[in-house]
Amino acid sequence: MGIKTHTTRKTPRPKGKGKAPKAPMSKKTTTLPLLVEVGTEELPWQVIQPAFTHLARAIQKVLTDKRISFGAVRSMGTPRRLAVLVDEVSRKQESSRREILGPPKSAAFDAQGAPTPAAQGFAKSQGVLVKDLQIQDTAKGAYVCVVKEEKGRLTGDVLKESLPGIIEKLSFPKSMRWNDTGIRFARPIRWMVVLLGQTTVKFSVGGIVSGYTTCGHRFLKGKRGKRATISSPAQYVNTLRRVGVWVDPDERTAILKTRLSSLAKSVKGHPFPEHADSLLEQAVYSLECPHAVLGQFDSLYLHLPQEVLITSMKEHQGFFAIAGAQGQLLSRFIAPTNMKLTNMSLIRKGNERVLSARLADAQYFFNEDRKKKLADRLDDLNGVTFHKKLGTLYQKSERMVALAPFFAGASGDVQDKECCQRAALLSKADLTTGMVGEFPTLQGIMGREYARHDGEAESVCQALSEQYLPRNPDDPIPASELGQRLSLIDRIDTLAAFFRAGVIPSGSEDPLGLRRQAFGLIRILVEGTVDINICSVLRQARAQLDAHGVRGNHDAQAPSEEDALLTFLAERVRFYGRTQHGFREDVMDVILDRPTPDSFHVRDVFLRMEALQAMTAEVDFEPLIIGFKRANRLVDKEQWTSSQVDSALFEDPTEGELFFAVDKARNALSSLMTQRDYRGVLLTLLGLKPAIDQFFTAVLVNAPDAKVRANRLSLLSVVKHVFLEFGDFSKIQVQSNS
Amino acid sequence: MTVQDLILSLHRFWAHQQCIIFQPYDIEKGAGTFNPATFLRCLGPEPWRAAYTEPCRRPTDGRYGENPNRLQHYYQYQVVLKPCPSDVQDLYLASLAQLGIDPAKHDIQFIQDDWESPTLGAWGLGWEVRLDGMEITQFTYFQEAGGQELNPITVELTYGTERIAMYIQEVESVYDLVWTDGVTYGDLFHASEVQFSTYNFEMADVKMIRTTFEAFEAECQQLLQAELPLPAYDYCMKSSHLFNLLDSRGAISVAERTGYIGRVRALARGCAEAYIEHRKKLGFPLLQPQGASQSVKRKQKRKAS
């Protein structure tokens, strides 16, 4: 069977009398659907959706660039195929007409009308004969011009040239070679189906020639075997279904969801909600024929911590855990399968055996680990390196214990302090347990479980389990205050230590995830209940590093290390404000660009930003800033330092009114600032607007009398300093000019 | 199907696919990849097809014979094909069918598993193959080995012999596997698991091993200087195993770990470079038609004797 030839459908000429319409009008271009399927060996599930999305975008772009009109675009895929379907693709490219201007007519032709070298050169460069040059009248005069008409080519011919590059250029986080064509792809490409209407668009990529034969499900045989011929793009989805492949991810999601809930319902449960969504996505992109089987494990294992059970099911096997009506785990699981057989018992049994072996291993670790108390494991931490320049985890724990008192509650409660130190002491001990060695994601969680077993205080246990929160931007911060403190202590020590060791993130380099650590720190400080001055705890953290003999590369430059850290943290605050709250950059500048004093209260900084961001919506805000900036500019220009105002020198009532208003505002501000009522502060400043505006309208600051002028500058200096109490408003960018 | 029947079936299957049925290499190693029939033969332009059983030692995986699924010594069944055939997945599935595992009755999935061996300076992309949820094979398209970019690409199939046998024989403990009629896996290996776990975790003389590591490393370097990549590679393998022993004794910190791995990797890279050079000097004999290659081999032999 050869390649089907495409027959052009000719538009019939209208019958009847009269002239036929001009050619371009009558040739009503027909459209055809397009299918591009790249068949591969099993792709990693994470790359499939991004890959077919990129493929679709690249195809749309090429159609647009090549002047080929098209309709709806759909993209889809499974582990073994990336597919794009485009409706109503124009059968032919639009023709194009381009005019290229050359030299002026006067330079191109001499007085006799003979072409000069300029004309000859231009014609040559454009690949035309001199006689083909035309003259175009432009606003600047007559110019020589070449008109290039490109006739629209058949879409199939255009695609034949463009598609190979598009497919070869698809990029993946990791790609590989498999043959000597030099092509790289996530996994080997084994076939391609490219159809425009019923015709194949034939080309080759990585040694594979496109055709119209696709592969069905690896193991399920369709009516026509595992291979299938796609007769037209419209038949693609249905044809694949007949050979056991559900190519549309949405369809697979729906099938799996139904299957999951019906299986779970059969045991009066539901898929454990916290991981169901992410697992579902993984399953959808791991299967061509979505199905699932319900399995069971020995209920004795239900005594293991819930997280251990869930991790064993989810991370290793991709199984869904099932929760009962009260949210408790049931001794059941659902395994997604790529096979749908009448008898699933063989598959079910296999999956049960695997899980049971995993749980037996977990049980073994759980029993062994509890034979040794967490507190007795501290010595083992001596053998675990935190970082080659920063000593062991034992030393890190010691530093954390020493830092704990500075994070304990403001009340100075002794018990509180002891809990905090205890939590810091035990925080890393679970890293030496067999369970965490086997399931690293259970760090902290196992600390809680083993601490409970050892009879540690419940608040300490909870803090241990929360110490790594938030791990990522979607995670909650620790719920308990002790948990927040422990997480802060850990992060502060880590940041101070790595900055000391000179391991500082730069550009895209942040191998140890310090930015993420700092981001979590900022979130806890803003969203949590612990209120600390970062500067002072950082100083303590650095003192601890000194005490432990951790030396940096540039010991003498200790102050710059502190600066670097504060700048880094300020940058993270900015990132937090930008990404989580959409704060304006200039709003953040007002607060962050102040000369850094001894204190850096992250929450305070955040509250100011938040209040200011809200205030920017007020109608009077910009005019107020314009007034402030004017005052600020005058004071700065004169480098005016005095704030001594003598009311006897007032010549205009607006001076007295401004003086009175500012004085009143200053008094109000001091208590508002203490209460962190930043909205109140800003409203008070906003209240100064009429007085400032009237002042500038009524008086000339540069009065002829030097004393009056000095007095007015002093008054403006007072105004400036009242604003500075909150932040540097000169950073605000106003739209209109003052 | 007994364990030895399973091995024999795989031998027959892959022999039929023009594989050389190779034998295990007589030096301790953590994986079949270390066997020169994989690590060295995947280098350079010469084609190569081999299949063999390889005993593997992973000291940290010992469980004193108490865990039904974990062993510090077990057998991998290893297949290497270079260049990789385009139907290699189908070939692999056919080999399973040979073992009585009918893909149409099970759920076989190819789950992404990108392989990397920091000690060998090697990596590749591929899958772990799961049979009804159980990992039975590691399937890798090598991209680099000994720090050398590979061309042509070798595909490596590593069957978990015991796992597959347990599945086929439907036993819950590896020690219950029937090796051949009347002899179980436990009969053959249980005592060795107990004794070696004790040795690996408790008895191995750390000081002696550290010193020996240094000595083997030096030996490897000296042999590389002498342009003897094959014996040099022996000492690279030995060093790697000693590193594993130190690891199971808990004698190396995280920081030291990276250091040791780097040292073994440097040896592996040296061996890889020297091996390619050596094959090049021979004119890459396996690239030649069969006859020519034989005569070169004979000539070499005559020279040696």
Side-chain angles (χ1 to χ4, degrees), chain A residues 106-126:
Chain A
S106 52
F109 296 96
D110 62 19
Q112 284 73 44
T116 65
Q120 286 158 350
F122 176 62
K124 197 179 171 194
S125 73
Q126 295 301 318

Side-chain angles (χ1 to χ4, degrees), chain A residues 616-637:
Chain A
T616 56
E618 297 285 330
V619 187
D620 278 349
F621 179 73
E622 275 215 351
L624 172 77
I625 296 301
I626 292 167
F628 161 77
K629 282 191 164 190
R630 194 168 167 190
N632 190 45
R633 213 161 35 233
L634 285 162
V635 172
D636 280 359
K637 195 174 145 200

Side-chain angles (χ1 to χ4, degrees), chain A residues 41-42 177 218 361 438, chain B residues 67 70 89 127 141 150:
Chain A
E41 295 184 359
E42 280 77 352
R177 291 169 294 121
R218 235 183 228 296
D361 226 24
E438 186 71 7
Chain B
N67 185 305
R70 286 232 192 176
Q89 281 182 306
W127 309 276
Y141 289 99
L150 302 179

Side-chain angles (χ1 to χ4, degrees), chain A residues 40-46 80 174-180 184-188 190 218-219 286-287 315-319 336-339 341 343 346-354 356-358 360-361 364-365 368 382-388 438, chain B residues 62-64 66-70 83-90 93 103-114 123 125-128 130-135 139 141-144 149-151 153 163 166-167 169-172 252-256:
Chain A
T40 61
E41 295 184 359
E42 280 77 352
L43 297 166
W45 69 268
Q46 300 94 327
R80 292 183 74 205
K174 279 186 191 167
S175 60
M176 57 170 278
R177 291 169 294 121
W178 64 94
N179 62 21
D180 55 8
R184 287 178 174 274
F185 215 72
R187 289 293 182 276
R190 293 303 181 200
R218 235 183 228 296
F219 309 115
S286 301
L287 311 172
E315 302 209 345
H316 286 299
Q317 298 299 136
F319 292 170
T337 67
N338 196 30
M339 288 293 272
L341 304 174
N343 185 352
L346 204 56
I347 297 175
R348 176 178 52 81
K349 269 191 223 154
N351 281 289
E352 284 176 345
R353 279 171 43 131
V354 180
S356 129
R358 291 228 177 258
D361 226 24
Y364 167 82
F365 288 127
E368 288 298 306
N382 271 317
V384 188
T385 309
F386 169 48
H387 183 269
K388 61 184 174 202
E438 186 71 7
Chain B
R63 294 289 182 272
Y64 295 87
E66 287 167 17
N67 185 305
N69 299 294
R70 286 232 192 176
C84 56
S86 59
D87 60 347
V88 56
Q89 281 182 306
D90 292 331
L93 292 169
K105 290 182 181 158
H106 294 271
D107 183 36
I108 296 177
Q109 296 188 27
F110 291 83
I111 308 284
Q112 171 201 14
D113 192 14
D114 299 338
W123 70 276
L125 300 189
W127 309 276
E128 58 172 70
R130 288 196 192 156
L131 171 65
D132 300 334
M134 181 174 64
E135 180 187 353
F139 198 129
Y141 289 99
F142 283 176
Q143 303 292 304
E144 262 183 41
E149 196 164 307
L150 302 179
N151 188 24
I153 298 294
R163 290 224 183 146
M166 282 169 75
Y167 196 95
Q169 296 186 17
E170 296 184 35
V171 297
E172 301 301 321
I252 32 182
S253 69
V254 180
E256 263 189 306

